[in-house]
Amino acid sequence: MSHLPLWPIVLPLLGAALALFLEHRRFGWTARRWAAWALMALQGVAVAAVVARVADGRVEAYLLGDWPARLGIALMADRLSGWMLAVTWLLGAACLLHACAGWDRRAPHFHAFFQLQLMGLNGAFLTGDVFNLFVFFEVLLSASYGLLASGGRGLRLRGAFHYVAFNIAASAVFLIALGLIYGLLGSLNMAELSARIGQVPPAQAGLVKAAFGLLLVVFCAKAALLPLYLWLPETYARAPAAVAALFAVMTKVGLYAVLRVSTLLLGAQAGLLAGFARPALLWLGAGTLVVAALGVLGSARLRLMVGYLVIWSAATLFVAFALGQAQTIGAGLYYLAHSTFVAAALFLIADLIRRRRGAAGDDKAVVAPLPGRAVPGTLFLIAAVSAAGLPPLSGFLAKAALLSAVPPAQTPLVWSVVLLSSLLVIIGLSRAGVRLFWRLPAQVEQAECEQPVPARARPQETWATVLLLAYGVAMTAFAAPLMRYTDAAGAQMLDAAGYTGELRAAPSVLRAP
């Protein structure tokens, strides 16, 4: 049994402990940052090894403590897990680069919280057990509470309190759902649940549907599906830039859980529960697309607009996953990586613009000078084209792949909401670009006299933004192999029997209880 699936979880845990140790005053910031980058490099090696191991379709099972899966904790790595681990590591490296420009000095325990956040994310993508999915959710949420509140006051702290209260309520519902599922089916291991759920008698089907309905509500709340999205825009808009950029992957954790449950547990093998809630997710995803696009159009501040773009991308993924086809899931996974990188880049660009505009901040309604606007203007243009799904960047390729794979019965709904919402987003991004970068000369001259000298961005922060946008360009250049991988991941997701068989073929070596 290979220990490989364990390393993406253990390394950030060790990194968090090392970061706390290095916070002693006898160690300087140079040592802390070198340690953080050394741990990131090791995690990169571990993630690359996991991706290489599962790329051929193998499902890697790891029995923690060598207990059989039905009794102990199992980690499972497949193509989907590898894809999510790679997206998280690439995003984390760019966010760490941005934070090391100076924000990490202002936020107490930043590097420890950052490593714990990576541990929670990696664990959620690797666990083969619903209860430990809850555990890793709590780890990443606890770290996110610290990252969000560190160094903040006023409106940021108020947003952090709303975020904490909302997620604690969601976690309570999560626990209730887990209790119901365990009581009804006798296991929380995903593979075991997948095998048992098809044998649910008609008399119990209603209760089991209620339990899984609660579970999906929690995941939809994490992924900001209509009407559970209201907490996200203001919270993300008030977060520090590096933290907001890292949070771009948080909604994707909820979407990952929805995809895993809807295919592995509620797929074709689920008997009376086959396809449960899938039509509702499709319609709610379509509604969220329109509402989020209207939010992009009407947002008064740039960072708030990016928050609505995060919701819009999550809604696109809900639609792609709810269609339940291997090609739509594959297109959705490609879009997931693209949308995560571009949303993170837009949060960093919004911060560059806010700091250059001085007291005007990122308020689009205020006419203010933007010194050195060539760099943020160019970055914003590339990010806007990519986020809106215009050719030739990866957003366009993902949307084209998704729309071409929509089944005929859902074509009128999906095409209309995707294209209409995309048009609204293009208008919203164009208005933001015009208001921020294209001012009337008389207005600018008057505003220049009223504005204080703005703070300049550090080059390292600009390079972090360039790195995120470069990911999107690389995804465009290597679209063919990446889409082959995501299509294969989508097909593997629909093969629940193969996933269950791989786990059962990994018996414990030392124990046979």
Side-chain angles (χ1 to χ4, degrees):
M1 182 170 59
S2 169
H3 297 286
L4 190 56
L6 196 59
W7 287 113
I9 301 172
V10 170
L11 285 173
L13 178 62
L14 295 175
L18 181 61
L20 288 175
F21 176 75
L22 292 176
E23 284 184 4
H24 193 279
R25 59 187 177 186
R26 67 170 176 259
F27 299 106
W29 281 99
T30 303
R32 298 175 199 178
R33 289 171 180 169
W34 273 107
W37 279 110
L39 265 298
M40 281 301 291
L42 290 174
Q43 290 173 46
V45 173
V47 168
V50 171
V51 173
R53 179 68 68 92
V54 301
D56 60 354
R58 178 187 314 182
V59 180
E60 189 77 18
Y62 182 81
L63 305 179
L64 279 171
D66 204 36
W67 290 100
R70 67 183 189 281
L71 300 175
I73 299 170
L75 300 179
M76 302 289 289
D78 58 4
R79 288 190 179 109
L80 176 61
S81 302
W83 182 255
M84 299 302 295
L85 290 176
V87 170
T88 302
W89 186 85
L90 290 170
L91 176 68
C95 295
L96 183 61
L97 178 62
H98 189 278
C100 286
W103 168 254
D104 58 344
R105 288 175 177 266
R106 297 176 54 190
H109 314 302
F110 171 83
H111 289 289
F113 283 133
F114 183 82
Q115 293 293 333
L116 286 175
Q117 178 92 19
L118 294 180
M119 175 197 167
L121 289 166
N122 292 346
F125 298 141
L126 285 169
T127 184
D129 182 292
V130 190
F131 180 75
N132 285 291
L133 182 62
F134 167 79
V135 172
F136 285 117
F137 264 46
E138 292 307 301
V139 171
L140 69 92
L141 286 172
S142 300
S144 70
Y145 301 155
L147 288 172
L148 187 60
S150 289
R153 58 183 183 275
L155 291 175
R156 183 190 300 170
L157 274 185
R158 182 187 298 178
F161 284 136
H162 292 166
Y163 175 76
V164 172
F166 180 85
N167 280 290
I168 288 176
S171 297
V173 177
F174 198 165
L175 271 183
I176 293 171
L178 292 181
L180 287 172
I181 291 171
Y182 188 76
L184 292 166
L185 298 175
S187 178
L188 290 177
N189 181 277
M190 292 185 192
E192 288 296 322
L193 287 175
S194 177
R196 296 182 187 188
I197 200 167
Q199 303 165 7
V200 171
Q204 277 195 339
L207 280 174
V208 177
K209 285 182 179 178
F212 277 97
L214 284 177
L215 198 63
L216 287 174
V217 166
V218 174
F219 296 153
C220 292
K222 307 287 186 188
L225 185 69
L226 186 75
L228 303 171
Y229 71 93
L230 294 174
W231 60 274
L232 190 147
E234 194 63 33
T235 302
Y236 282 26
R238 297 293 178 189
V243 175
L246 184 62
F247 281 11
V249 78
M250 294 278 278
T251 54
K252 309 307 188 293
V253 184
L255 281 155
Y256 165 86
V258 168
L259 178 59
R260 187 68 83 182
V261 169
S262 62
T263 54
L264 181 59
L265 306 185
L266 304 175
Q269 80 292 347
L272 297 173
L273 277 82
F276 172 65
R278 190 171 291 170
L281 291 176
L282 177 62
W283 281 98
L284 288 172
T288 310
L289 265 176
V290 177
V291 171
L294 291 173
V296 171
L297 195 61
S299 296
R301 291 179 289 121
L302 184 57
R303 287 178 294 173
L304 197 63
M305 187 188 76
V306 182
Y308 278 104
L309 280 173
V310 172
I311 299 173
W312 184 64
S313 64
T316 304
L317 291 170
F318 269 111
V319 171
F321 295 162
L323 291 172
Q325 308 292 312
Q327 293 81 7
T328 60
I329 294 173
L333 291 176
Y334 181 84
Y335 182 79
L336 182 151
H338 146 81
S339 60
T340 301
F341 297 145
V342 76
L346 279 167
F347 276 121
L348 301 188
I349 293 168
D351 188 62
L352 290 177
I353 294 170
R354 178 186 66 81
R355 292 167 60 184
R356 286 171 188 248
R357 296 180 86 215
D362 63 338
D363 193 330
K364 296 187 296 180
V366 177
V367 176
L370 185 61
R373 60 182 172 180
V375 172
T378 304
L379 295 176
F380 181 83
L381 177 63
I382 297 171
V385 168
S386 185
L390 295 175
L393 296 179
S394 50
F396 171 76
L397 299 177
K399 290 281 182 68
L402 171 61
L403 292 178
S404 64
V406 176
Q410 284 85 25
T411 297
L413 170 68
V414 174
W415 277 61
S416 57
V417 294
V418 169
L419 295 179
L420 173 63
S421 64
S422 297
L423 177 63
L424 294 176
V425 166
I426 291 170
I427 296 172
L429 288 167
S430 302
R431 288 179 62 192
V434 168
R435 291 184 177 184
L436 292 170
F437 301 104
W438 191 1
R439 302 290 184 182
L440 293 175
Q443 290 176 307
V444 172
E445 287 174 7
Q446 182 181 358
E448 282 176 345
C449 299
E450 298 170 354
Q451 296 296 323
V453 177
R456 291 281 184 179
R458 302 174 183 89
Q460 195 170 326
E461 296 172 341
T462 304
W463 282 115
T465 311
V466 171
L467 180 61
L468 286 167
L469 294 177
Y471 292 158
V473 175
M475 287 186 68
T476 307
F478 298 99
L482 291 176
M483 282 195 176
R484 278 199 296 274
Y485 182 95
T486 55
D487 285 346
Q492 189 178 35
M493 290 302 299
L494 299 179
D495 182 19
Y499 185 93
T500 305
E502 290 286 349
L503 180 64
R504 289 181 170 176
S508 59
V509 177
L510 302 177
R511 295 183 179 88

